Amino acid sequence: MTRYDAGWPPAYPSQAPQPLPARRGAGLLALFVAGGVLVVASLLLVVPFLLRSTGSAGFAIGFVLSLFPLAVVLLAVYAVDRWEPEPKRLLAFALAWGGAVAVAATTLIQPLFMAAFAPRGATEARTMEFLATVQAPIVEETAKGVGLLILILVARRHVGGPVDGIVYGMTVGAGFAFTENVLYFGRLYDDSGSPASLAVIFTLRGILSPFAHAMFTGAIGLAMGFAARRSGPVGIVVAFVVGLVPAMLLHNVWNGAGEDFFMLYALVQVPLFAASVAGVYVLRRAEARITHARLVEYAQAGWFTPLEVEMLATPRGRSAGLRWATSAGRRAPMQALIRTATQLASRRQRVLSGRDLDGYEGAERDLLDRVVRLRAEITGIPHDRPQL
């Protein structure tokens, strides 16, 4: 077994480059400003709607209970996202879009959709079935997916592949499910006041199926993540439309379960969830192999030692490197070095696939300079930048 601590820190001769100023994209700034305005405007619609539907006590109960499934999904997002963590501000945008903007859009569009497409003269039961199995999948998945589309188009350089798309899609779905759960839990409490009835619906939505919306919207993110790796904006828009199909179908099947819920849950949902977990694992392994291959190329140019590549681009190496850094009181810069090396590999992979060519040299130089500074901070040994 390789002993990472035996050859770390490596010896380097003198002097690290001076820090370069961080660059912020105008597109991301516009995304956050416009997103913030939309979220505030949406909350002004959504919160009064929830209070009218649930009452103040029901709203409070629903809010607290909804935190549990939200925490479960966000922990899963964290686990999926550990290899190459996404910027927290983008994850916050995705969560806020799902929890506020998508819900507000659904609330506004739903009556228009029903007026235009609901079957005329249908019984109340038939109308409710149409609402659950046709309107909800189409309107809700489109409302959630539009936010995901905007995020990936504007922040495409932060989307390196399908895993990133899944992460953002799951986060949007988690936000939407949170607000929807507040409505369901709070309204049931306000209508019945029965702890037993509330316990049943909490079990169904909060324990048995916290990942439902995350899986629906994750399917859209998966499609757009593949497109973001290999094509431009047009390809991403096409992938968005393609991804809506499985998302809507899954949503339709889920909402149409009715009395067959438990049979459908056992025969379809559980295997589907297991397949999703296995698929994410395979995609994560593929990302790790890409990171390793790209860092090997930088090692051949003198930027890393072979030992560093193993430490930065393999799960076992990262764990060993973090243990060493923790024992030396340098865990934070080691974590930053791992993130920076992963971003460097991801950026090079996008260029090799023919994307993000504009500004690549400057971005690569910034990342490499950051690697040099972080290595010097970890080891206490400054050194020169090698020549490519």
Side-chain angles (χ1 to χ4, degrees):
M1 176 176 169
T2 304
R3 287 185 53 83
Y4 296 95
D5 55 346
W8 179 265
Y12 291 96
S14 50
Q15 182 176 44
Q18 294 299 313
L20 296 176
R23 299 177 181 176
R24 293 186 179 273
L28 288 180
L29 179 60
L31 177 71
F32 297 133
V33 172
V37 172
L38 277 175
V39 168
V40 171
S42 298
L43 289 175
L44 292 176
L45 172 67
V46 171
V47 173
F49 168 74
L50 290 174
L51 287 170
R52 286 195 305 270
S53 301
T54 64
S56 56
F59 178 83
I61 293 293
F63 185 91
V64 172
L65 290 178
S66 299
L67 291 174
F68 174 78
L70 176 66
V72 170
V73 177
L74 292 183
L75 283 173
V77 169
Y78 172 77
V80 173
D81 195 35
R82 285 185 65 188
W83 184 259
E84 185 185 358
E86 302 306 310
K88 290 183 173 58
R89 61 190 184 278
L90 290 177
L91 292 173
F93 173 89
L95 187 67
W97 183 280
V101 181
V103 175
T106 298
T107 303
L108 293 172
I109 296 171
Q110 175 180 306
L112 301 177
F113 187 94
M114 294 297 289
F117 300 108
R120 300 290 183 257
T123 63
E124 182 180 355
R126 179 72 182 95
T127 300
M128 294 304 295
E129 180 185 359
F130 180 86
L131 182 70
T133 60
V134 178
Q135 178 271 326
I138 293 175
V139 175
E140 292 178 9
E141 295 311 317
T142 302
K144 290 184 288 179
V146 166
L148 189 56
L149 175 63
I150 293 170
L151 187 154
I152 290 179
L153 286 175
V154 175
R156 190 158 58 98
R157 290 186 177 181
H158 293 284
V159 182
V163 173
D164 295 344
I166 291 171
V167 165
Y168 288 122
M170 288 181 65
T171 306
V172 172
F176 190 94
F178 171 78
T179 304
E180 192 176 65
N181 282 335
V182 173
L183 176 64
Y184 275 85
F185 299 156
R187 187 162 57 190
L188 184 62
Y189 177 84
D190 187 61
D191 289 345
S192 68
S194 168
S197 299
L198 186 58
V200 170
I201 194 68
F202 177 78
T203 300
L204 292 176
R205 294 185 63 88
I207 296 177
L208 293 181
S209 58
F211 292 98
H213 276 287
M215 289 175 61
F216 305 155
T217 319
I220 306 174
L222 173 67
M224 285 196 284
F226 274 116
R229 171 178 286 177
R230 299 182 178 277
S231 61
V234 174
I236 293 172
V237 173
V238 172
F240 163 66
V241 176
V242 171
L244 279 174
V245 176
M248 291 177 180
L249 288 175
L250 288 171
H251 201 152
N252 169 272
V253 171
W254 182 259
N255 283 7
E259 296 179 355
D260 298 326
F261 173 82
F262 288 104
M263 182 178 70
L264 184 71
Y265 184 83
L267 297 181
V268 178
Q269 296 299 331
V270 171
L272 186 61
F273 179 75
S276 299
V277 172
V280 168
Y281 175 77
V282 170
L283 292 172
R284 276 274 305 270
R285 291 290 299 270
E287 280 198 344
R289 288 194 295 270
I290 289 173
T291 301
H292 189 276
R294 301 290 79 82
L295 291 188
V296 165
E297 294 168 0
Y298 281 105
Q300 291 169 348
W303 286 97
F304 299 102
T305 67
L307 182 65
E308 285 178 311
V309 171
E310 295 304 307
M311 185 188 70
L312 296 170
T314 65
R316 190 178 65 176
R318 287 184 174 189
S319 296
L322 287 170
R323 284 198 301 271
W324 176 88
T326 300
S327 68
R330 299 166 188 171
R331 183 179 180 87
M334 179 63 81
Q335 288 176 319
L337 177 61
I338 291 171
R339 286 195 301 271
T340 302
T342 307
Q343 291 168 2
L344 180 67
S346 177
R347 195 67 188 268
R348 179 168 176 79
Q349 177 64 28
R350 290 200 295 274
V351 169
L352 291 177
S353 64
R355 299 190 297 116
D356 294 345
L357 300 178
D358 293 341
Y360 168 69
E361 291 184 1
E364 181 190 46
R365 183 174 62 250
D366 288 355
L367 289 168
L368 288 169
D369 284 349
R370 199 181 309 163
V371 165
V372 172
R373 295 195 302 274
L374 288 168
R375 182 193 283 123
E377 183 178 349
I378 293 168
T379 64
I381 307 172
H383 66 286
D384 291 322
R385 300 167 81 245
Q387 298 297 317
L388 287 175

